[in-house]
């Protein structure tokens, strides 16, 4: 009697692509983790005000967001691999260029423009593109994992940057980030491919794939979307914006995500470390706390992706924003010169919520706009970064004028409640809106 043995199933290529994308996103997060740590060293060396330094952060955040939809369209035309490899190189140039700066405009050029464009090309639209093209099943989980890459990068780079800035100087920290970005370029070129068909396969969980029996339905393929290769990347991105902007769903998502950016990257990501330092907490300790936010964010975002595959994304967003508002309202009372249990509780609670909003927001964009969803999400993400840029500058101004950040924390709490209401007001899409390139 012979026993037939089946060969072990091969790992689907989509998971290798997702792994390489995770590493690339992790590397691009390095310089975005730097602003909060480098504000005080730059202020001490050059005498620039926090408002001036924060303005460079704002330029970075604006370009990071505004370039995202164009980057998504460029990926449609030139390929994910080429655009992401180029973006990592630009990040390295910007990070390395800061070593030679002597004037504040050079800070804006390197830290603001170059790094903003580079990280904008490696923004959430990149994650949405990978998840949409390569996954049908487990798309929410993959979106959550790729989103968590930014938090993981923060977890890795923040303590490193803080210790280098204190021990070896901020220039050494900038060079380390530049080297990290360049080191990932070969990984992107060797592993990432633009479409499953490029390697003779289909998306993970696609109906005609071997692993598809219980896969969820793909987005409605009947919607006609002309690729950027036929219309031009800029025209494609603007055409998608023009048609999506006619819908109520787009504006509610944009409002909520603008507030998301204001209450995370713009305020906490940029000003938590100097705010804690104002209360006597060592800068390295405050940076380690912010890194822990990244640690808990990894768990929260992946879990949020799992929930997004099972729970109405609108309800998830409403709950996330409401809880964020509550935590920010309590934060001003938690700052002391040492880490108290109440601050540990905030770090845990806020960390779980940090970018848990991304998987449900991506899901709503895909449901509402079909194949154009990644580009629409790029525009929604642009609103996220506009909100972040405004908050970064406004909080710096509040600190310079009032001597503390208290007003900024309370204003952010109110905004989070508004985002919760806007998310719950989104109507459920019955079928994707047809977005045609013109």
């Amino acid at each position: 009697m012979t026993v037939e043995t089946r060969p072990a199933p091969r790992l689907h290529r989509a998971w290798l692509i997702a792994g390489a994308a995770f590493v690339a996103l992790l590397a691009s997060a390095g310089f975005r983790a730097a602003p909060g740590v480098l504000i005080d060293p730059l202020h001490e060396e050059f005498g620039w005000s926090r408002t001036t330094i924060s303005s460079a952060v704002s330029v970075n955040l604006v370009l990071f967001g505004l370039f995202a939809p164009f980057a998504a369209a460029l990926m449609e035309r030139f390929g994910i691999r080429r655009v992401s490899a180029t973006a990592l190189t630009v990040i390295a140039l910007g990070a390395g260029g800061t070593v030679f700066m002597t004037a504040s405009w050079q800070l804006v050029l390197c830290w603001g423009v170059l790094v903003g464009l580079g990280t904008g090309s490696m923004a959430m639209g990149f994650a949405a593109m990978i998840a949409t093209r390569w996954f049908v099943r487990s798309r929410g989980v993959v979106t959550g994992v790729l989103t968590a890459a930014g938090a993981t990068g923060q977890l890795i780079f923040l303590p490193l940057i803080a210790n280098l800035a204190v021990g070896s100087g901020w220039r050494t920290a900038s060079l380390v980030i530049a080297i990290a970005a360049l080191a990932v370029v070969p990984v992107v070129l060797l592993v990432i491919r633009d479409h499953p068909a490029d390697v003779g396969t289909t998306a993970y969980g696609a109906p005609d794939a071997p692993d598809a029996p219980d896969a969820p339905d793909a987005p409605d393929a009947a919607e006609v979307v002309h690729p950027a290769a036929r219309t031009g990347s800029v025209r494609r991105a603007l055409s998608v914006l023009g048609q999506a902007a006619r819908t109520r769903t787009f504006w509610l998502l944009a409002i909520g995500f603008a507030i998301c950016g204001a209450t995370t990257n713009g305020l906490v990501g940029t000003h938590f470390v100097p705010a804690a330092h104002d209360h006597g907490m060592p800068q390295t300790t405050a940076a380690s706390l912010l890194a822990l936010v990244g640690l808990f964010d990894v768990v929260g975002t992946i879990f949020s992706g799992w929930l997004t595959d099972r729970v109405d994304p609108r309800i998830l967003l409403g709950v996330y924003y409401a809880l964020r508002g509550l935590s920010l309202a309590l934060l001003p009372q938690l700052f002391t010169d040492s880490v108290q249990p109440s601050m540990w509780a905030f770090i845990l609670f806020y960390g779980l919520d940090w970018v848990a909003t991304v998987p449900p927001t991506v899901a709503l964009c895909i449901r509402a706009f079909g194949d154009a969803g990644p580009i629409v999400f790029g525009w929604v993400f642009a609103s996220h970064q506009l909100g972040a840029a405004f908050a970064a500058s406004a909080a710096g101004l509040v600190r310079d004028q009032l001597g503390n950040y208290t007003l900024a924390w309370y204003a952010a709490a109110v905004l989070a409640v508004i985002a919760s209401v806007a998310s719950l007001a989104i109507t459920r899409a019955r079928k994707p809106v047809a977005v045609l390139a013109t």
Side-chain angles (χ1 to χ4, degrees), residues 246-341:
R246 299 172 188 171
T247 68
R248 179 170 176 263
T249 296
F250 173 82
W251 289 108
L252 290 173
L253 286 170
I255 290 170
F257 226 44
I259 294 173
C260 179
T263 54
T264 52
N265 301 78
L267 181 58
V268 176
T270 304
H271 294 284
F272 179 86
V273 173
H277 193 53
D278 283 345
H279 290 78
M281 185 179 293
Q283 185 169 313
T284 52
T285 301
S288 296
L289 287 176
L290 197 55
L292 280 176
V293 169
L295 173 63
F296 294 122
D297 181 37
V298 172
V299 177
T301 306
I302 294 174
F303 183 58
S304 177
W306 183 84
L307 286 175
T308 300
D309 288 330
R310 294 162 175 80
V311 180
D312 189 333
R314 300 170 300 167
I315 295 176
L316 292 178
L317 287 178
V319 173
Y320 293 160
Y321 287 130
L323 293 177
R324 182 180 300 175
L326 175 63
S327 64
L328 288 171
L330 296 175
L331 182 58
Q333 287 77 45
L334 307 182
F335 284 117
T336 62
D337 59 357
S338 60
V339 184
Q340 303 297 322

Side-chain angles (χ1 to χ4, degrees), residues 69 79 85 94 121 138 236 266 311 325 342 406 416:
S121 300
S138 304
R236 165 72 168 151
V311 180
S342 55
T406 303

Side-chain angles (χ1 to χ4, degrees), residues 132 219-220 223 225 365-374 431-433 435:
T132 302
D220 190 350
E223 305 303 335
V225 181
C365 287
I366 300 299
R367 290 184 186 182
F369 302 101
D371 289 342
K431 66 180 245 178
V433 174
V435 180

